[in-house]
Amino acid sequence: MLDPKSMVRETFLMDLTSMERDQNYFGFVASGLTRLNHLVPSTYVSNYVGFGRAAAIRSELLGDNGIVIAARAIGNTVKKLDKAIFGGAKKWISDCKVMFESELHVMVSGSPKVDLYETDFGLGRPKKIEDIGIDGMKAIALTQSRDVSGGIEVGLVLLKSQMDYFTTFFMEGLNATL
């Protein structure tokens, strides 16, 4: 039986068996406002973010404890950002370069904590939000759901062959859980 937590992981790790000793990278941005040592006025609006890049060996991610290894790598990166949001800022450009030059990376774009569907610039609430930037950067877009309280919308762009594989794999997993 397929379980949901491994379905997405397997999709991003497929078709790259020749690279099993290589590093896989997971990149994300993290809010800096919640990591400051002082209070920030509630009216302050900014794009105060830090960059995180977690890494793990591909063959370990494909093993039985792959999800634990991935969670530990991401968790350790978050802890570093918690201690010093700009601690590794001098290396962010080189870290991004290494990650984007690797075939073995995925980024997260957006945040379900930001309620974009409540944004109204005078034309009403958006009907659909899609992050077009994920197409060129091998990323997953996360957005708070417009219609389901506590729900998350996930955007994903893959090559057609990978999307076909993902769709089949995902549907099999959903059917197995019903």
Side-chain angles (χ1 to χ4, degrees):
M1 178 197 282
L2 300 172
D3 64 287
K5 69 184 178 194
S6 67
M7 291 167 57
V8 173
R9 176 184 67 149
E10 291 294 328
T11 299
F12 285 99
L13 298 177
M14 66 188 173
D15 296 333
L16 298 168
T17 54
S18 64
M19 301 176 189
E20 66 183 29
R21 294 297 313 153
D22 289 342
Q23 293 273 345
N24 275 74
Y25 299 107
F26 180 80
F28 58 95
V29 293
S31 172
L33 290 178
T34 58
R35 292 172 168 86
L36 293 175
N37 293 329
H38 56 278
L39 293 175
V40 176
S42 61
T43 56
Y44 181 74
V45 178
S46 82
N47 200 14
Y48 190 87
V49 295
F51 172 70
R53 180 187 70 146
I57 303 293
R58 179 180 172 71
S59 58
E60 294 174 2
L61 291 170
L62 289 171
D64 291 339
N65 293 322
I67 199 75
V68 173
I69 290 166
R72 193 171 288 142
I74 294 166
N76 289 339
T77 303
V78 170
K79 286 177 187 174
K80 287 178 189 173
L81 292 171
D82 285 343
K83 289 180 185 172
I85 188 72
F86 293 126
K90 289 181 181 179
K91 293 177 33 183
W92 286 351
I93 292 174
S94 62
D95 283 352
C96 282
K97 185 175 187 230
V98 167
M99 187 174 68
F100 284 118
E101 288 177 352
S102 168
E103 287 293 317
L104 303 174
H105 79 273
V106 66
M107 292 280 299
V108 171
S109 175
S111 172
K113 291 183 177 184
V114 179
D115 193 359
L116 295 175
Y117 281 112
E118 289 301 316
T119 305
D120 185 349
F121 294 108
L123 300 172
R125 288 176 51 197
K127 300 222 183 299
K128 178 72 178 147
I129 294 175
E130 293 186 15
D131 185 342
I132 60 171
I134 65 173
D135 187 19
M137 59 189 253
K138 196 171 181 185
I140 300 169
L142 300 178
T143 307
Q144 188 177 78
S145 176
R146 174 184 166 95
D147 300 316
V148 178
S149 178
I152 297 175
E153 294 179 10
V154 179
L156 178 66
V157 176
L158 297 169
L159 297 173
K160 178 154 177 29
S161 61
Q162 291 175 322
M163 187 60 83
D164 290 345
Y165 177 84
F166 174 79
T167 302
T168 301
F169 195 62
F170 194 78
M171 293 308 295
E172 286 175 4
L174 287 177
N175 291 332
T177 59
L178 297 177

